[in-house]
Amino acid sequence: MDVLSFEPGDTLLLYTDGVIEARDADGDFHPFETRAAQWSQASPESLLHHIQRDLLAHTRGRLDDDAALVALRREPDIHRHRHHGRVIHASGLGHSS
């Protein structure tokens, strides 16, 4: 099991393989991590909205697999200084046997 810190201001983004394996008409995968990074400072709702729109534009509205996304933000502790959050991708979590 890998353990990552989830600091105040961070957003945890979970997604299924249908998101990262979505392809366009030429067979190119959706550049998920690059695109999601553009919206790392957005609210979880806005982040999901941007990804959904971009994913559907990339695939021209046709997904070949189910796709699910969940975004959770850890709110900053009001008694400490503001941490400039980051998006933690599930791909950053290692798999161990």
Side-chain angles (χ1 to χ4, degrees):
M1 175 176 15
D2 290 334
V3 177
L4 297 173
S5 64
F6 188 46
E7 302 295 327
D10 284 352
T11 300
L12 177 64
L13 182 59
L14 305 172
Y15 47 87
T16 62
D17 64 341
V19 174
I20 59 172
E21 293 176 357
R23 296 175 186 250
D24 64 12
D26 295 326
D28 296 324
F29 286 114
H30 180 261
F32 178 74
E33 287 190 36
T34 303
R35 299 278 177 83
Q38 296 176 30
W39 306 300
S40 64
Q41 297 302 311
S43 70
E45 296 85 3
S46 182
L47 175 63
L48 294 176
H49 177 75
H50 285 302
I51 293 171
Q52 178 187 22
R53 287 184 53 209
D54 191 62
L55 187 63
L56 291 174
H58 181 78
T59 62
R60 294 186 180 173
R62 184 175 159 258
L63 294 174
D64 292 329
D65 194 1
D66 62 316
L69 293 153
V70 175
L72 302 167
R73 169 152 308 145
R74 180 173 175 196
E75 291 300 321
D77 182 349
I78 60 171
H79 301 291
R80 295 184 180 214
H81 65 282
R82 171 100 166 87
H83 170 72
H84 297 286
R86 59 199 168 115
V87 173
I88 302 168
H89 296 275
S91 65
L93 302 175
H95 299 284
S96 48
S97 307

